[in-house]
Amino acid sequence: MPAEAHRTKAAPDAGRTDPASPLTERQEARRRRILDVCARLASRGGFDAVQMREVAESSQVALGTLYRYFPSKVHLLVATMQDQLEHLHATLRKRPPAGDTAAERVAETLMRAFRALQREPHLADAMVRALTFADRSVSAEVEQVFRRTTAIILDATDLTDPTPEQLSAVRVIGHTWHSTLITWLSGRASIAQVGVDIETVCRLIDLTTPEPSGPPTSPDDTGAP
């Protein structure tokens, strides 16, 4: 594994750019260029093709500036995955799933997301490898990835006020989706098996949906003489 994968450089004064803090228009444009270059390089050659010096040169930023935004390649690729999921979420909102049940809608949504990543296997592999390599220093970026995945799933359920059990089911579904990506990318699962696994875990949503309560039973309805 290249040493750069886990390299972190601290800037003396400015420090790391917090992904949650507001950026100026110029900073956002710079960050956008960096993410676009990262995605392009990863699409061509996967994880090893993303070299921080080349990202900086192609993004027209100084190497030190790049490290202030993203302290390592892992930070950069995890942020790229979060960015890709944002674009995917926007696309899904324009054409929501049409299943009759929450489980069917979530399964359709996640399989559409999977197929989108399937079209860029090198990029998908690079992003998933970065998630696997991520340590505590990347926790903020990793959290953003899982928050976005959760939001995508919740949108598909159409639940306006999910119960704690449903939220737990959503988290399990999100973890399973990320796990199926890993097994597919590593060649340990076929696309057909991914579909079966996704459909199976999505049934948790329907299983955790409370049964509608019927009208109260009157004494005359008990069958007692």
Side-chain angles (χ1 to χ4, degrees), residues 5 56 119 148 182 205:
R119 289 192 287 270
R148 180 60 60 174
I182 294 172
I205 285 292

Side-chain angles (χ1 to χ4, degrees), residues 106-116 177 191 194-195 198-199:
V106 173
E108 179 187 337
T109 292
L110 292 181
M111 286 309 297
R112 282 166 62 184
F114 178 82
R115 292 187 193 99
W177 183 71
I191 296 173
V194 167
I198 292 297
E199 289 178 1

Side-chain angles (χ1 to χ4, degrees), residues 35-206:
L35 292 173
D36 288 346
V37 167
C38 178
R40 185 167 67 249
L41 291 173
S43 296
R44 292 175 182 171
F47 185 87
D48 292 338
V50 178
Q51 299 297 320
M52 296 295 272
R53 185 172 296 280
E54 184 174 356
V55 171
E57 292 173 354
S58 298
S59 305
Q60 299 180 331
V61 300
L63 185 59
T65 300
L66 173 60
Y67 276 111
R68 286 198 293 273
Y69 279 83
F70 304 102
S72 73
K73 181 162 76 171
V74 170
H75 287 83
L76 174 55
L77 279 165
V78 173
T80 300
M81 184 168 193
Q82 197 268 340
D83 184 62
Q84 294 290 315
L85 288 174
E86 280 186 5
H87 287 297
L88 177 63
H89 198 181
T91 300
L92 291 168
R93 281 172 167 166
K94 293 177 182 177
R95 188 165 64 89
D100 293 330
T101 67
E104 290 174 354
R105 292 190 296 273
V106 173
E108 179 187 337
T109 292
L110 292 181
M111 286 309 297
R112 282 166 62 184
F114 178 82
R115 292 187 193 99
L117 292 173
Q118 184 187 358
R119 289 192 287 270
E120 296 283 359
H122 291 306
L123 174 59
D125 181 67
M127 295 186 300
V128 170
R129 284 179 66 183
L131 276 179
T132 304
F133 292 147
D135 57 21
R136 290 186 179 182
S137 70
V138 202
S139 59
E141 289 83 357
V142 171
E143 179 64 19
Q144 288 299 315
V145 166
F146 283 98
R147 281 181 181 273
R148 180 60 60 174
T149 304
T150 298
I152 289 172
I153 296 171
L154 279 174
D155 271 8
T157 66
D158 286 338
L159 296 172
T160 56
D161 188 20
T163 66
E165 290 78 12
Q166 288 170 326
L167 289 175
S168 180
V170 166
R171 286 193 295 272
V172 172
I173 292 168
H175 290 313
T176 302
W177 183 71
H178 284 281
S179 177
T180 58
L181 278 178
I182 294 172
T183 55
W184 174 71
L185 287 166
S186 63
R188 293 182 287 118
S190 65
I191 296 173
Q193 186 60 56
V194 167
V196 171
D197 291 349
I198 292 297
E199 289 178 1
T200 299
V201 74
C202 285
R203 292 175 192 154
L204 286 174
I205 285 292
D206 291 344

